[in-house]
Amino acid sequence: MVPSSFAVLNPQTQTTEALFGQPDVPVKVGISAGSIVIAGQRFSGEQIIILPDKPYIFNLDGDDYRGKLKLILNPDGNSFDIINVVPPEPYLAGVVGAEMPDYWEPAALAAQAIAARTYCLYIKEKFGSNRTWDVKRTAANQVYLGVSAESAQVWDAVNKTQGQVLVYKQDNNIEALFPAYYSSTCGGHTENSRQVFGDSFGSLVGVPCPYCKRVAKPSFFFWPMAQFDKTNVTDRLLKRYPKLKQLGDITSIRPDKQSKYGKFSRLTLVKLLGSTGKSDFLRAEDLRLTIDPTGRKFRSTICQIVSMGDKWAFVSGRGYGHGVGMCQCGAQAMARQGKTTEQILFYYYPGSKITRVY
Ligand SMILES: [Zn+2]
């Protein structure tokens, strides 16, 4: 549904193929005999763009988004991909308000805006040219909820940092964007990206974080035991990593590498032993998100693994999320202490600097 009139364009020829003048009327978009059909009208192209008139908002399945909607017919002729084509700033407003409570300190919200802008432009630059889209709207990249995530505070954070991104100096002395990862609550120490995602950037190294404990509630900072049926764990792991099939049933999950931070440590690599006697290794973060894709129970890899009968239990857990880059609760705690956006970002992304790219 579009609250204004809208046009349907062919992106290849840039021609207007149809105009729809009636606002606020639900429009059914589907496929019939291999063609995209909008409100009963067939379009021959493999791609079409729905372009709303002012205020450039459309509603998809109940949620409002800004910008345009691109539909791309898949080769099977039976389905299509939907891509929201949106400029960076309105996109970021829909991310910042989804990733951080809008009542948090303005300095923390601005840090979030710069980190999210950096992350999205890096991903777009690195992967976007080989595919029809730049970033996913889920936590697989960063959460984007469109207009529903926006507020005056969120727009303020996005506008006052307009075009600002983080860069770091590569070995060849050239400054470059990097994937400015961030996560909810690091649990007391952030982690080197290499141990979690396997990539390596000078500004994505671990730093102590005495801050998040001051913002996250104790029941949140320390998470309760998470248990999973062993058969379920084996099923999920073998489905996600077919190379593990040679292990048979997973009979043992042992810490192999960890980052030690004094009183606690983060598992980074685990050794899996199987009923066939074979073994293999897996990054602890991959283990976590395979066993619990939402990450809501198995919240971080700062924990211990215990075998309890027919279940695996993850105990003594701290923090929430992968722990790489900015700790969001830590950013809020720093902002409450009066630290600036720059101080927050340079703390969590050591050696980085802020530059304006547009
Ligand atoms: Zn932290």
Side-chain angles (χ1 to χ4, degrees):
M1 193 158 76
V2 182
S4 60
S5 49
F6 66 95
V8 174
L9 310 180
N10 179 325
Q12 274 121 359
T13 59
Q14 288 295 321
T15 50
T16 302
E17 302 217 334
L19 290 167
F20 292 81
Q22 251 188 318
D24 285 329
V25 176
V27 176
K28 194 175 173 191
V29 178
I31 289 181
S32 168
S35 299
I36 295 171
V37 177
I38 299 175
Q41 197 170 329
R42 288 168 69 94
F43 294 88
S44 55
E46 280 165 15
Q47 299 189 8
I48 57 134
I49 283 178
I50 293 175
L51 175 65
D53 291 322
K54 266 188 181 169
Y56 314 115
I57 286 174
F58 63 87
N59 184 293
L60 178 67
D61 293 343
D63 294 309
D64 282 345
Y65 299 91
R66 295 183 191 277
K68 308 171 204 169
L69 193 61
K70 192 179 206 178
L71 308 183
I72 302 180
L73 203 57
N74 286 324
D76 65 9
N78 277 320
S79 61
F80 52 87
D81 286 340
I82 304 181
I83 296 147
N84 183 190
V85 182
V86 58
E89 264 50 43
Y91 162 71
L92 288 165
V95 170
V96 171
E99 289 282 359
M100 202 176 252
D102 69 355
Y103 53 83
W104 277 17
E105 296 291 329
L109 289 166
Q112 178 65 64
I114 293 173
R117 185 181 294 106
T118 307
Y119 177 82
C120 117
L121 293 182
Y122 172 85
I123 298 291
K124 174 180 162 68
E125 188 178 286
K126 173 115 195 211
F127 304 105
S129 53
N130 295 321
R131 57 193 187 197
T132 53
W133 50 276
D134 295 318
V135 280
K136 293 183 183 174
R137 62 175 181 149
T138 66
N141 286 135
Q142 48 192 6
V143 180
Y144 166 67
L145 295 176
V147 175
S148 68
E150 296 176 9
S151 67
Q153 300 93 303
V154 162
W155 267 111
D156 205 39
V158 171
N159 285 334
K160 76 183 181 198
T161 62
Q162 192 186 355
Q164 290 179 24
V165 293
L166 292 161
V167 290
Y168 80 113
K169 209 171 252 183
Q170 301 175 114
D171 293 340
N172 59 9
N173 262 344
I174 294 172
E175 286 175 346
L177 290 168
F178 59 95
Y181 301 114
Y182 51 88
S183 69
S184 165
T185 309
C186 75
H189 203 293
T190 69
E191 185 56 61
N192 192 314
S193 183
R194 188 198 298 263
Q195 321 292 357
V196 176
F197 300 117
D199 51 8
S200 181
F201 300 89
S203 294
L204 290 173
V205 294
V207 295
C209 175
Y211 302 108
C212 49
K213 207 171 182 174
R214 296 174 199 169
V215 161
K217 291 184 202 122
S219 62
F220 192 84
F221 187 86
F222 298 103
W223 45 271
M225 175 169 72
Q227 293 183 81
F228 301 89
D229 287 331
K230 285 184 175 172
T231 48
N232 217 314
V233 167
T234 293
D235 289 349
R236 283 179 179 265
L237 285 169
L238 269 49
K239 196 171 168 209
R240 175 82 181 268
Y241 301 99
K243 64 163 188 160
L244 297 177
K245 283 192 177 131
Q246 51 159 339
L247 271 60
D249 292 328
I250 309 288
T251 55
S252 164
I253 306 176
R254 283 186 205 156
D256 191 71
K257 282 196 182 123
Q258 39 205 313
S259 297
K260 295 203 165 83
Y261 309 133
K263 287 191 184 135
F264 57 95
S265 55
R266 186 187 307 270
L267 294 177
T268 56
L269 193 71
V270 293
K271 185 173 187 181
L272 305 172
L273 293 162
S275 54
T276 60
K278 295 208 162 106
S279 64
D280 209 336
F281 297 89
L282 198 61
R283 271 193 214 121
E285 185 67 7
D286 293 338
L287 173 83
R288 179 173 86 87
L289 292 178
T290 303
I291 294 178
D292 184 13
T294 67
R296 285 195 194 113
K297 284 172 70 191
F298 187 174
R299 294 187 195 161
S300 77
T301 64
I302 304 182
C303 65
Q304 269 142 35
I305 305 171
V306 180
S307 171
M308 289 175 61
D310 59 358
K311 289 182 196 302
W312 292 113
F314 301 89
V315 302
S316 308
R318 293 169 72 116
Y320 200 156
H322 53 66
V324 179
M326 186 176 76
C327 170
Q328 292 167 304
C329 282
Q332 165 68 352
M334 288 179 80
R336 272 192 194 159
Q337 286 183 355
K339 300 277 199 297
T340 64
T341 297
E342 288 76 13
Q343 285 171 319
I344 294 167
L345 291 170
F346 300 160
Y347 185 79
Y348 288 112
Y349 304 107
S352 67
K353 62 179 242 195
I354 295 173
T355 187
R356 207 172 157 174
V357 287
Y358 57 83

